[in-house]
Amino acid sequence: DTAVSQTPKYLVTQMGNDKSIKCEQNLGHDTMYWYKQDSKKFLKIMFSYNNKELIINETVPNRFSPKSPDKAHLNLHINSLELGDSAVYFCASSQVYDAEAFFGQGTRLTVV
Amino acid sequence: KNEVEQSPQNLTAQEGEFITINCSYSVGISALHWLQQHPGGGIVSLFMLSSGKKKHGRLIATINIQEKHSSLHITASHPRDSAVYICAVRLGSQGNLIFGKGTKLSVKP
C-alpha cells in the first residue's frame, strides 16, 4: 500500500487554467505538507497543515490554495496558472509537526 | 546566503568507496533531516537527527549541534546509491523545513 499518494503524476496544462493536485495519506498522520521543487531541483515549503491549522508560507501566491476535507487529504488548487508554476510538487505527511516526513511520488506540472 | 549549505554539490565515486556528504547550517534548529531523491524523482526520508549519530544499514548520519554541522556517510558504496542527497533543517519545533540544494552522487561500477 502506498503511504502518501498524489494524483496525477504528470499534468500538462495551458496558461490561465485552474487545476488541482490531490494528496492522500493512509498513515494516520496529523500533519501534511506541500513542497515545490523548481527546475534547479531546490525544494521549498509551500504549506503545512497541522491538526486542522493551516500554516501559509507568505512567499506563495494566493493563486495557490490548499484544501483539506479531512485529516488524510490535503489537495492543492492552483488558479490562473502561469509559466513559472511549472515545477514538481511534492506532498508529504508526518505523525506530528516536527517528526520524520514521508513523501509522495511528486506531480510534475508543466504549464504551456 | 542559503541557511543550509551542502558540500560537495556533485560527487563521483567508484563502487566500494566510503562516501561523506556534509551539511552546515547557520541557525538554531530542532532537528536535521537527510533525504534521498532517486533518479526517478521519488523522495525518501533517510534520517531525522537532533543529536549524536544514527545508523541504518550502510548509512550513518552524525550531527554536531555546537558546530552546526552534520555528515552523511555511506560505507561500501554501490551504484544503486546514486541519487541526490538532501539535507534539511527545522527551525524550532514549529518551524518549516529549510532545504539544502542537494548533493548529486554517482557511484560507478
Side-chain angles (χ1 to χ4, degrees), chain B residues 1-77:
Chain B
K1 186 180 187 297
N2 202 28
E3 289 162 304
V4 182
E5 296 282 348
Q6 287 186 236
S7 62
Q9 271 190 305
N10 293 283
L11 181 56
T12 300
Q14 286 298 126
E15 185 172 356
E17 284 185 2
F18 180 84
I19 287 162
T20 296
I21 299 170
N22 295 301
C23 176
S24 297
Y25 51 94
S26 57
V27 293
I29 66 169
S30 63
L32 182 143
H33 297 247
W34 281 104
L35 309 172
Q36 180 193 53
Q37 186 165 27
H38 298 292
I43 297 176
V44 175
S45 176
L46 298 176
F47 295 103
M48 187 180 81
L49 296 165
S50 54
S51 64
K53 174 180 171 178
K54 285 190 176 180
K55 185 176 190 291
H56 186 256
R58 295 180 294 107
L59 301 178
I60 303 165
T62 63
I63 187 168
N64 185 320
I65 297 293
Q66 287 74 28
E67 294 186 2
K68 293 186 169 60
H69 180 270
S70 175
S71 293
L72 177 68
H73 306 285
I74 305 175
T75 61
S77 61

Side-chain angles (χ1 to χ4, degrees), chain A:
Chain A
D1 280 346
T2 304
V4 182
S5 61
Q6 296 178 228
T7 54
K9 192 171 181 184
Y10 300 97
L11 182 55
V12 181
T13 188
Q14 290 188 321
M15 281 176 57
N17 283 350
D18 302 337
K19 290 292 178 185
S20 295
I21 306 172
K22 295 185 177 181
C23 180
E24 176 182 4
Q25 54 97 2
N26 62 8
L27 298 166
H29 287 170
D30 287 342
T31 308
M32 295 185 73
Y33 314 85
W34 277 106
Y35 295 96
K36 179 180 180 180
Q37 188 174 44
D38 61 25
S39 57
K40 295 182 180 177
K41 305 291 187 184
F42 191 52
L43 274 162
K44 280 191 80 171
I45 183 73
M46 298 179 70
F47 302 102
S48 307
Y49 207 101
N50 183 43
N51 261 336
K52 301 181 184 178
E53 182 185 349
L54 179 64
I55 302 167
I56 299 173
N57 186 309
E58 61 190 24
T59 65
V60 178
N62 57 15
R63 297 181 295 104
F64 290 79
S65 57
K67 286 185 170 53
S68 180
D70 55 58
K71 203 173 79 163
H73 296 84
L74 183 63
N75 303 323
L76 183 64
H77 299 273
I78 316 170
N79 295 324
S80 303
L81 277 155
E82 301 177 358
L83 293 175
D85 298 332
S86 296
V88 181
Y89 293 84
F90 286 95
C91 175
S93 73
S94 60
Q95 181 64 58
V96 292
Y97 192 71
D98 57 352
E100 183 180 9
F102 293 78
F103 286 79
Q105 78 275 28
T107 296
R108 182 175 293 278
L109 171 66
T110 304
V111 183
V112 297

